[in-house]
Amino acid sequence: MGFISSIWLRQRPQEEVAALCVPAKPEGKAESTEHRRFIARQPIFDARKKVFSYELLARSGWENRFSGDSDAATRKMIFDGALYGFQGLTGGRPAFINCTRESLVEGLVTLLPPGTVLEVLETIEPDVEVVEACRRFKKMGYQIALDDFRMAAGIEALVELADYIKVDFRLSDKEERRKILAFVKGSKATLIAEKVETEEEYRTATQEGFDLFQGYFFCHPTVFSSTRAPGNGGNYLQLFSAVSQKELNFRHLTELVEAEVTICYQLLRLVNSAAYGLNLTVTSVHNALVIVGEEQFRKLVLNTIAVETCKRHPDALLIRVLHRARFLELMSPYTGENRQEQYMFGLLTLMGVMLGMPLEEAIQAMPLRDEVKRGLRGEANNVTAALRLLERFEEGDWVSCLAQCELLKISENQLTLIYEEATQWAEQSASTKDQPKQ
């Protein structure tokens, strides 16, 4: 599990998960949480006390709680899943995510990768819309879990679809559990005893026929944190307006997405998910938008806007990323590379820094040409020619800079003008006052 440390900072030092592991508040964690994201992870064990899967929970900070309603918590988890993925936290095991009625009926959960276990909260009425949504998600490769299961009118339809049924040991006695187990007998669902807090309850759950177990007896939720990528409130307003139109203007949307790094990364990860096939290669943001389509992109943007808050001032890292992307784009006539792909390559070169994730994992999450992937790994090829020139220019390595200019057949004056134009554009694009124009 050491791979987690490079992406998610754990709340406390590594420890055995099968032991009682109440996490203490980490020392020295009094710093602002403004630029970090938080998720709690609680394992679900099998009868051998081996980790079977993890339930992932929204958190507002290092404290093991979330301040906000259930819709906000679900939106946050969908946002984090679309941006980072949960592979680093689950190690390939199933991820259980709490889902509200809104996220199910509106289809927001389809921004998560197929294979995710969608937990239908106990507060959701099993009406026709919810049942049909769950049936649709099952066909798409998602799994369904019924959280805090209680017998209710119309619940039979969800039981038929359920892959997992969770029964709360704090809210049920032996007689009620007997009735529940008799009610779901014959279904294909795996039974999970949750909120198991004592050795006696664990033995009881085993004797009653439960297959999986979750609760404080095994492990409390453990909080992890990762770097928050900088966002741009001005672009969120522009994007909200654009996706609210009856017909999307993909050219205009491309301009907006190219200036909003977080949404750009989410879009590329979404294209690379199993839902869109594994053999697609994306060469531009516009290309990715066309592949994803209007409905999914609207969901992605609206969910991001709901989760993110507008920033008062442009972030220096955001400006640097936009400047690099624009510079490479303006240099494309000299490098002979595709203009749109060069812009996208420029964004991706600093993705690992912005998202706080290993470069190799970031590259694997993107559907890119092999030459672009090699360039991101540091190989000197034609894709990286403009980037090498920019780095020499910024380092003040004039000998190497002039040599590169000669190779690309660009004058010092032209290079300076392109650098300045890219600087002005990046600062304007990161501002909440102006709309970026290309």
Side-chain angles (χ1 to χ4, degrees), residues 22 81 88 170 207-208 222 240 259 307 310 322 342 355 394 424:
V22 183
R170 304 267 69 76
Q207 293 166 0
E208 289 179 352
T222 303
F240 180 80
V307 171
C310 296
L322 294 177
Q342 278 289 287
L355 299 185
E394 292 181 328
Q424 293 172 2

Side-chain angles (χ1 to χ4, degrees), residues 123-418:
T123 55
I124 298 176
E125 183 180 346
D127 57 26
V128 174
E129 279 189 304
V130 171
V131 172
E132 287 304 311
C134 290
R135 184 172 288 116
R136 185 168 66 253
F137 301 146
K138 288 271 290 186
K139 291 179 180 178
M140 295 171 66
Y142 296 91
Q143 293 185 294
I144 303 297
L146 305 184
D147 191 31
D148 291 350
F149 183 84
R150 310 294 289 270
M151 289 184 290
I155 198 67
E156 295 87 352
L158 284 181
V159 170
E160 290 178 8
L161 296 172
D163 297 281
Y164 304 93
I165 292 177
K166 303 180 76 173
V167 179
D168 191 329
F169 263 59
R170 304 267 69 76
L171 297 178
S172 62
D173 57 23
K174 187 173 183 177
E175 178 59 22
E176 183 174 2
R177 291 194 299 273
R178 186 190 65 77
K179 292 179 180 178
I180 289 174
L181 294 177
F183 182 76
V184 302
K185 186 177 181 180
S187 76
K188 298 179 181 180
T190 298
L191 297 173
I192 302 177
E194 62 176 338
K195 296 185 181 175
V196 174
E197 297 188 359
T198 67
E199 174 74 33
E200 182 181 354
E201 288 178 342
Y202 167 65
R203 288 198 302 267
T204 298
T206 302
Q207 293 166 0
E208 289 179 352
F210 286 88
D211 307 295
L212 301 173
F213 313 87
Q214 180 182 12
Y216 290 175
F217 170 67
F218 302 96
C219 189
H220 283 236
T222 303
V223 177
F224 292 82
S225 176
S226 67
T227 303
R228 176 194 292 269
N232 180 357
N235 283 329
Y236 290 159
L237 297 177
Q238 297 281 351
L239 279 162
F240 180 80
S241 175
V243 299
S244 297
Q245 304 301 314
K246 185 175 182 181
E247 294 186 5
L248 299 188
N249 182 333
F250 276 69
R251 180 177 178 180
H252 179 48
L253 279 172
T254 298
E255 294 177 353
L256 294 174
V257 173
E258 285 180 344
E260 178 40 62
V261 181
T262 298
I263 291 179
C264 186
Y265 292 160
Q266 288 179 313
L267 177 65
L268 291 172
R269 286 191 67 97
L270 185 60
V271 172
N272 204 43
S273 72
Y276 294 92
L278 300 175
N279 299 315
L280 295 171
T281 299
V282 172
T283 57
S284 68
V285 172
H286 182 271
N287 184 205
L289 280 169
V290 172
I291 292 171
V292 168
E294 294 186 10
E295 181 180 357
Q296 283 293 82
F297 183 68
R298 278 193 173 99
K299 292 174 188 174
L300 187 151
V301 170
L302 294 175
N303 189 63
T304 298
I305 292 171
V307 171
E308 292 289 85
T309 56
C310 296
K311 301 185 69 177
R312 292 184 179 181
H313 303 288
D315 189 287
L317 179 57
L318 176 61
I319 294 176
R320 184 186 175 201
V321 173
L322 294 177
H323 174 265
R324 177 173 286 194
R326 181 62 166 166
F327 179 87
L328 267 58
E329 178 187 29
L330 294 174
M331 283 293 299
S332 60
Y334 299 95
T335 61
E337 291 293 300
N338 179 275
R339 177 182 69 86
Q340 295 175 324
E341 187 178 61
Q342 278 289 287
Y343 184 96
M344 186 172 67
F345 175 72
L347 289 180
L348 298 179
T349 57
L350 290 173
M351 181 176 60
V353 176
M354 294 188 70
L355 299 185
M357 63 192 304
L359 177 63
E360 187 57 36
E361 180 166 329
I363 292 172
Q364 292 303 319
M366 304 297 168
L368 307 170
R369 287 195 299 128
D370 287 341
E371 191 173 11
V372 175
K373 289 183 177 180
R374 292 196 300 271
L376 289 171
R377 293 186 178 105
E379 178 183 296
N381 56 35
N382 208 52
V383 171
T384 66
L387 177 60
R388 294 199 303 275
L389 176 57
L390 174 62
E391 290 172 340
R392 304 297 179 270
F393 185 86
E394 292 181 328
E395 292 167 359
D397 183 353
W398 307 122
V399 174
S400 299
C401 187
L402 290 175
Q404 189 75 358
C405 282
E406 187 174 344
L407 285 174
L408 296 176
K409 294 181 171 49
I410 182 173
S411 68
E412 296 175 58
N413 184 54
Q414 289 171 316
L415 173 61
T416 301
L417 289 175
I418 287 177

